[in-house]
Structures are given as structure tokens and as C-alpha cells.
Amino acid sequence: MKNIRALARWVLMVSAAALAAGCNSTAIRVGGAPEASIKNCVAAASREFRVPASGIAADKGSTPRDGVYAVNLKIGPQGRPALCTTDENSAVLGVVYKRPE
């Protein structure tokens, strides 16, 4: 649980730093993350949260910095928000639930 919290903090810090720096990637695709990243995130979330892939919806994707994609997911019938990150090769770096605000 401690590692998941650390990963979530890291992802949020990277996202905030990219926004603060005004990073713009020339590799951004429509909707943010490439389709392969979204598919891999859904599969990883399905395994991690023990939810069928059909119960996971990709909300949207973004590129917080070059070579890293962030995909927002909705998990289960309640639509619990989660965040998945992938690298430029669509390999999943991590998937975590988002904290309620």
C-alpha cells in the first residue's frame, strides 16, 4: 500500500511539474494516449483491481511529459477513478486508484 501511495504522489508531481513547465509534446495523439496504451492500462487495471475488463472504462488520456502517457480510468459499476501511466512503448508503469478529493 505504501508503494502505491508513493507511485500516486510521483505521478501527481510529474503531472504538476509538466503543467507548470508548460510542456507540449509533438507526439500527442488525439485523446492523449495511444490506443495500445489504453488497452494495456485496461488489462493491467483488470488484473490489479480484480475487475473484468468490461467493467473498466477509459475516461481520457494525456501526456504529462514526453514519452509518458497518463490514462484516467473508471473502475467498476461505481466508476471509481483510477490512473494508469505507460511509457512510449505502451508498457504500463503503474495503475492506482485516485484519492477522493
Side-chain angles (χ1 to χ4, degrees):
M1 190 62 135
K2 188 176 182 182
N3 290 337
I4 291 172
R5 287 186 185 144
L7 176 64
R9 278 194 301 264
W10 177 82
V11 168
L12 291 174
M13 287 188 315
V14 168
S15 297
L19 289 174
C23 288
N24 288 325
S25 171
T26 57
I28 293 177
R29 300 180 184 154
V30 176
E35 190 172 333
S37 289
I38 294 169
K39 286 180 182 180
N40 290 346
C41 280
V42 169
S46 177
R47 288 188 304 271
E48 179 71 24
F49 304 129
R50 295 183 179 97
V51 174
S54 61
I56 300 171
D59 190 21
K60 62 182 176 177
S62 64
T63 307
R65 65 184 172 115
D66 286 343
V68 174
Y69 299 99
V71 178
N72 291 311
L73 302 169
K74 301 280 185 186
I75 310 296
Q78 300 85 10
R80 187 169 177 192
L83 178 68
C84 177
T85 55
T86 67
D87 65 14
E88 66 273 2
N89 297 317
S90 298
V92 174
L93 301 173
V95 59
V96 295
Y97 278 123
K98 289 184 177 179
R99 280 192 199 184
E101 295 186 31

